[in-house]
Amino acid sequence: MTLPDAVSLVRTLVAEPSVSSPDPAHDQPNRRVVERIAEWAEHLGFRCELVPLKTDPSKANLVATLGTGEGGLVLSGHSDTVPFDRAGWDTDPFDLVEKDGGRLYGLGSADMKGFFAAALRAAERFRPEELRRPLVLVATADEESTMNGARQLLAERRPQAARAVIGEPTGLAPVRAHKGILMERLTLLGRSGHSSDPSLGASALEGMHEALGVLLALRAELQAEHRSGDFVVPGPTLNLGKVEGGDSPNRICGKCQLTYDLRPLPGMDVARVRDRIRGALAERFAGDALEVVQESLAEPVPPFAEQPDATLVRDLESMTGRDALAVMFCTEAPFLQALGMETVVCGPGSIDVAHQPGEHTTRSQLEEAEALYARLIHRSCVEAA
């Protein structure tokens, strides 16, 4: 079987909804996407295994292997997309539309269904008997929400290889480092009462004002302690995302909540930073009339960094003619790296158009990605001793 052209492959994948979200109202299975990728991969000689997620059997990871032996290369991507605002789209988000000189518009076209088209087309150039080391294609579930697909791969200790490339949209620039993410919710519980007499209650909203001061002071401390010139924003960030509390101007606020996120640099221990923040907040309200509840909104994603002199970094810098970068967004890279592989993020499309109406990739980026991945497969799986 000869695969369809890359644009046709992307069109087929975009047409299969696979939104993942912590909100059950938006969350969808990814099965049809990974089954379609597996169907194409099997025709190329891959041995395909669909592995249901233990957290949700309607979701599955795909691990497809071409060739045998140890070492080799993993090409990995996520099969899900974020939710979408249909009213913001000029086109149907599930119908890939080409316009504006080769731009391909559709939900997930850049982030990151286009990657699978390029990876499959690159793999098609090789016969299984040519490979001295295996090529593994991975499609994960729930990267855009919980990263449970990648977490399960790590727990299962699969796949095993020497190197891995994650095809997140980087404009085909190699990325060797990114920040992590910690998302937390702080709840202050006070006592409501008539606003004419403050002694009748305990204002959670006024307490939140104090909590914000603690968090901003900690942010300044963390940024003074940790800094990396590799990043456009060189320090860790702490964003105060949402505050809500109270119900009426003439009632003392009995409950107030804050959600915030922290983006730690490589080298920062996420669990220790979380404990430091929680400890500072607990200390501030010790003996206070307010009850403090602190909880994580999701499991943290650790920061990621690959050594600048790693052979995979050097190979991709040579092949692309571009120096490896550090970025602020998160990927599944730390989970694959934890399996013992040299890991780099490098894929077609731009992160600047992801997660928004009008998401698109281009024909030229798909063609460049196919050629790049073919060179990398040859280097990692054919030339490898």
Side-chain angles (χ1 to χ4, degrees), residues 50-254:
L50 289 170
V51 186
L53 293 196
K54 295 177 181 178
T55 54
D56 183 353
S58 74
K59 315 285 185 75
N61 290 330
L62 167 66
V63 180
T65 306
L66 188 68
T68 60
E70 297 181 352
L73 172 68
V74 171
L75 294 176
S76 182
H78 63 81
S79 60
D80 57 319
T81 72
V82 292
F84 61 97
D85 176 13
R86 188 179 291 272
W89 283 78
D90 295 330
T91 60
D92 182 343
F94 297 106
D95 181 15
L96 193 74
V97 174
E98 183 171 3
K99 60 179 183 175
D100 303 331
R103 289 185 175 182
L104 304 166
Y105 291 86
L107 181 65
S109 55
D111 188 17
M112 53 178 298
K113 293 177 177 179
F115 156 77
F116 291 109
L120 285 162
R121 293 276 300 177
E124 188 179 24
R125 302 185 185 193
F126 300 89
R127 299 186 307 277
E129 57 269 22
E130 288 183 84
L131 304 183
R132 302 174 66 184
R133 295 287 184 267
L135 169 65
V136 184
L137 180 64
V138 173
T140 61
D142 281 0
E143 188 271 353
E144 296 289 10
S145 52
T146 60
M147 294 208 178
N148 279 338
R151 295 181 198 278
Q152 182 166 314
L153 288 176
L154 177 57
E156 295 171 344
R157 305 303 299 175
R158 70 165 79 188
Q160 293 292 321
R163 40 175 45 184
V165 170
I166 297 176
E168 289 276 7
T170 66
L172 293 178
V175 168
R176 69 166 196 86
H178 65 63
K179 295 181 179 181
I181 185 170
L182 171 71
M183 293 188 291
E184 295 277 291
R185 175 166 52 224
L186 169 66
T187 303
L188 298 182
L189 301 172
R191 186 175 68 255
S192 59
H194 200 288
S195 63
S196 64
D197 185 349
S199 68
L200 296 175
S203 175
L205 190 53
E206 291 186 14
M208 189 60 73
H209 177 266
E210 297 294 324
L212 294 176
V214 171
L215 289 171
L216 293 177
L218 275 171
R219 181 175 70 181
E221 291 177 13
L222 290 170
Q223 290 175 342
E225 294 166 3
H226 304 278
R227 185 178 180 85
S228 172
D230 291 338
F231 293 89
V232 174
V233 179
T237 58
L238 192 157
N239 178 64
L240 307 173
K242 181 181 180 180
V243 176
E244 55 184 348
D247 51 28
S248 178
N250 61 352
R251 263 172 46 96
I252 296 168
C253 175

